[in-house]
């Protein structure tokens, strides 16, 4: 088994790391977030034109580099390492794949080349602060994230003149890079209450009735905005077939699968950088006549962080490979060119091996052949968020008094860890959703916040009273009488 990365992938990582080390130190990051767009526009243009970063995972037919999710994840691991403030996540990870998947050929030909060359930035606006629900990372409840045809969310109606245009009305909170994006992809409900469906609409930054307000965010390196739409003219992304909108939901879920892997890699990069800075500090800081890193208690804490980061990295690499191979025939290669469908980037061998060491066909990412990429992505993201939080907390603690100061960069990593879990988690819901996808639990075991396929909010009893005898009762042979044999879970 060869789990090494290819020369091209190593070159992407090496080139980006060198450039960011020169142009994106802690002081540069703090200065960039204070600008109007919230990032260094000159650096963004350089990343786009020299390295093709926004179009890294876009097809070459539309001006992209033609790489895949694995290369994008490696790039985001490096941007996460320096906490790069940029529109990369909003544009290349969320918006561009949706345009490629849902848009018409004319829309793709118009928008994707401009995105690939860095001339156009975009942002995804999902109502209800429900980005993880919309992307399928955690269980949604009856489409409530999109407004559900009820009050709230964003409502769409056809133009009164009978043309092909649409009008949007509503408000969206916490839109990543929404204040500076030149194009907004807005998820809105159309068709009223009884025949409502979720559609995606293109709204240019200068549209009449559009009001954008930059919000004060916990993590300043991820700028957020409030989007207000007051009878705003919009163009439908793709075609409206008058159906239920399942196509948009599937496209969002597919983007969520890739995004989970990319976000996991980014979190691993931030965690690794926080750990490296802490190790350097405890080697130099002396107390009682010796470096504090020589004390056994400090060594144990840093060793725990190291193990967590390495496990999260293996899971993130596998999730990126699984997302890239999702739907492909005969997935033979692991990230970086490993051969054999049983190879996983943590060095595990055999179809039952997982990056975290779990064994058995029901184990998490890296388990049985054909493991669902969405499950791998959700679990990798959960593990990476935990590792990032752990590394950031230990960085603040082991830096002592200086770790609490505004001048030191430790607080930037701590805020990134807390913000990521609020935006894309929480961790327990990511894992609960992965368990639901795998069918690991019976209906009565499901938590109130998810339910079966995200549509039950009463603990999974499907609307039946838990006292009327309809709820699941386990039989002595381990079967529940309705869902068949229950799977064993290794945690």
């Amino acid at each position: 088994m060869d789990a090494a990365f290819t020369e091209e992938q190593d070159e992407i990582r090496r080139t980006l790391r060198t450039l960011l080390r020169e142009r994106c130190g802690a002081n540069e990051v703090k200065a960039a977030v204070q600008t109007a767009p919230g990032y260094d526009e000159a650096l963004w243009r350089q990343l786009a034109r020299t390295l093709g970063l926004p179009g890294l995972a876009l097809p070459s037919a539309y001006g992209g580099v033609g790489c895949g999710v694995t290369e994008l994840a490696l790039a985001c691991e490096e941007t996460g390492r320096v906490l790069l403030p940029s529109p990369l996540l909003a544009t290349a990870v969320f918006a561009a794949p949706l345009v490629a998947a849902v848009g018409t050929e004319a829309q793709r030909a118009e928008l994707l080349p401009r995105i690939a060359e860095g001339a156009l930035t975009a942002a995804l606006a999902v109502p209800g602060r429900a980005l993880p629900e919309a992307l399928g990372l955690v269980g949604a409840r009856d489409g409530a994230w999109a407004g559900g045809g009820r009050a709230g969310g964003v409502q769409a109606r056809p133009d009164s003149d009978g043309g092909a245009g649409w009008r949007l009305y509503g408000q969206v909170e916490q839109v990543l890079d929404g204040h500076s994006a030149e194009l907004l992809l807005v998820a809105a409900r159309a068709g009223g209450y009884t025949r409502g469906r979720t559609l995606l609409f293109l709204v240019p930054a200068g549209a009449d009735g559009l009001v954008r307000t930059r919000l004060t965010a916990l993590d300043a390196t991820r700028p957020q905005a409030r989007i207000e739409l007051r009878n705003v003219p919009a163009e439908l992304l793709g075609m409206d077939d008058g159906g239920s909108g399942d196509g948009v939901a599937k496209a969002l879920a597919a983007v969520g699968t890739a995004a989970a892997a990319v976000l996991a890699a980014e979190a691993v990069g931030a965690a690794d950088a926080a750990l490296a800075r802490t190790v350097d500090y405890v080697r130099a800081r002396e107390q009682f006549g010796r470096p504090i890193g020589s004390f056994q208690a400090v060594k144990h804490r840093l060793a725990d962080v190291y193990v967590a980061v390495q496990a999260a990295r293996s899971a993130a690499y596998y999730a990126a490979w699984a997302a890239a191979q999702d739907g492909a025939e005969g997935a033979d290669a692991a990230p970086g060119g490993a051969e054999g469908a049983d190879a996983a980037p943590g060095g595990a061998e055999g179809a039952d091996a997982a990056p975290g060491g779990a064994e058995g066909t029901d184990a998490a990412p890296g388990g049985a052949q054909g493991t669902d990429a969405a499950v791998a992505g959700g679990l990798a993201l959960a593990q990476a968020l935990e590792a990032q939080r752990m590394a950031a907390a230990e960085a603040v603690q082991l830096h002592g008094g200086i770790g609490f100061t505004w001048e030191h960069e430790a607080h930037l990593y701590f805020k990134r860890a807390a913000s990521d879990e609020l935006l894309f988690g929480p961790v327990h819901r990511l894992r609960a959703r992965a368990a639901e996808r795998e069918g690991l639990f019976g209906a009565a075991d499901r938590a109130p916040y998810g339910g079966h396929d995200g549509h039950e909010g009463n603990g999974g009893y499907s609307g039946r009273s838990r006292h009327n005898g309809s709820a699941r009762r386990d039989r002595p042979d381990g079967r529940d009488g309705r869902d068949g044999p229950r799977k064993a879970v290794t945690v």
Side-chain angles (χ1 to χ4, degrees):
M1 183 190 74
D2 179 12
F5 288 101
T6 64
E7 292 184 6
E8 181 183 28
Q9 291 167 339
D10 282 332
E11 185 62 27
I12 291 172
R13 184 204 298 271
R14 183 168 50 251
T15 303
L16 189 55
R17 182 177 297 187
T18 300
L19 176 60
L20 293 179
R21 187 183 294 119
E22 296 173 354
R23 296 286 307 275
C24 201
N27 293 330
E28 286 80 4
V29 169
K30 294 176 184 178
V33 298
Q34 299 299 323
T35 62
Y39 62 91
D40 186 342
E41 293 179 289
L43 177 58
W44 172 248
R45 287 192 295 268
Q46 183 177 1
L47 293 172
R49 296 173 184 175
T50 305
L51 303 178
L53 203 56
L56 192 61
L58 290 178
S60 56
Y62 296 107
V65 179
C67 294
V69 178
T70 303
E71 289 77 12
L72 186 58
L74 290 176
C76 285
E77 184 180 355
E78 297 307 316
T79 62
R81 191 180 300 276
V82 296
L83 303 180
L84 174 70
S86 77
L88 178 64
L89 182 64
T91 301
V93 179
F94 294 146
L98 285 173
V99 174
V102 181
T104 63
E105 180 56 37
Q107 289 171 333
R108 292 195 292 265
E110 177 188 358
L111 299 176
L112 292 182
R114 295 170 59 197
I115 290 176
E117 67 182 14
L120 178 69
T121 58
L124 174 62
V126 174
R129 299 188 181 97
L131 184 61
E133 284 90 344
L135 296 177
L137 301 178
V138 300
R141 289 174 288 188
D142 300 326
W145 65 268
R150 306 172 181 83
V154 178
Q155 306 301 318
R157 60 176 176 80
D159 260 339
S160 55
D161 58 7
W166 291 75
R167 295 278 173 170
L168 304 183
Y169 188 90
Q171 180 172 304
V172 185
E173 303 282 349
Q174 294 182 333
V175 180
L176 293 177
D177 292 299
H179 68 292
S180 61
E182 296 158 313
L183 179 69
L184 296 175
L185 272 67
V186 182
R189 294 288 290 184
Y193 178 76
T194 57
R195 302 182 62 184
R197 59 196 186 280
T198 302
L199 301 174
L200 291 172
F201 297 89
L202 301 173
V203 178
D208 293 337
L210 176 65
V211 179
R212 305 190 293 176
T213 306
R214 183 175 178 178
L215 303 175
T216 301
L218 172 64
D219 178 15
T221 64
R222 288 207 197 280
Q224 301 175 32
R226 177 189 302 114
I227 306 298
E228 299 175 56
L229 303 124
R230 303 167 181 172
N231 203 33
V232 174
E235 176 187 353
L236 178 66
L237 180 64
M239 303 293 292
D240 182 15
D241 58 3
S244 62
D246 287 344
V248 170
K250 291 178 180 178
L252 284 167
V255 169
T257 297
V262 173
L263 288 167
E266 186 187 57
V268 166
D272 192 42
L275 173 61
R277 291 170 185 267
T278 307
V279 170
D280 289 342
Y281 178 78
V282 299
R283 282 176 174 171
R285 177 74 167 91
E286 292 189 359
Q287 188 62 267
F288 306 112
R290 56 189 290 193
I292 62 174
S294 65
F295 294 108
Q296 192 174 40
V298 175
K299 290 179 179 179
H300 286 175
R301 294 170 70 168
L302 291 177
D304 289 341
V305 175
Y306 176 80
V307 171
V309 171
Q310 293 304 316
R313 175 177 282 116
S314 292
Y317 288 169
Y318 178 82
W321 169 75
Q325 297 297 322
D326 190 24
E329 295 181 2
D332 305 307
E339 296 180 357
D342 300 331
E349 298 180 2
D352 297 328
E359 297 180 358
T361 56
D362 298 324
Q369 255 179 306
T371 298
D372 186 4
V375 174
L379 292 177
L381 179 56
Q383 192 166 1
L385 292 178
E386 277 191 337
Q388 182 180 219
R389 180 180 59 197
M390 183 179 181
E394 292 292 358
V396 172
Q397 183 71 21
L398 293 178
H399 273 85
I402 194 175
F404 289 87
T405 62
W406 192 257
E407 291 76 18
H408 199 270
E409 62 267 21
H411 72 93
L412 297 176
Y413 289 93
F414 187 83
K415 290 176 180 177
R416 168 63 68 89
S419 176
D420 275 4
E421 192 163 353
L422 290 172
L423 285 172
F424 309 117
V427 167
H428 69 275
R429 292 192 64 185
L430 290 168
R431 288 180 171 143
R433 179 59 174 162
E436 287 178 2
R437 287 181 184 275
E438 280 290 277
L440 295 182
F441 303 114
D445 295 316
R446 296 186 179 103
Y449 49 74
H452 180 62
D453 292 333
H455 296 298
E456 293 173 14
N458 57 357
Y461 281 87
S462 305
R464 295 187 294 268
S465 169
R466 64 182 67 198
H467 301 295
N468 65 1
S470 299
R472 177 186 60 80
R473 289 187 174 90
D474 290 337
R475 287 169 23 182
D477 61 359
R479 297 173 180 264
D480 61 13
R482 185 178 69 244
D483 293 331
R486 299 179 64 193
K487 298 182 179 180
V489 184
T490 302
V491 179

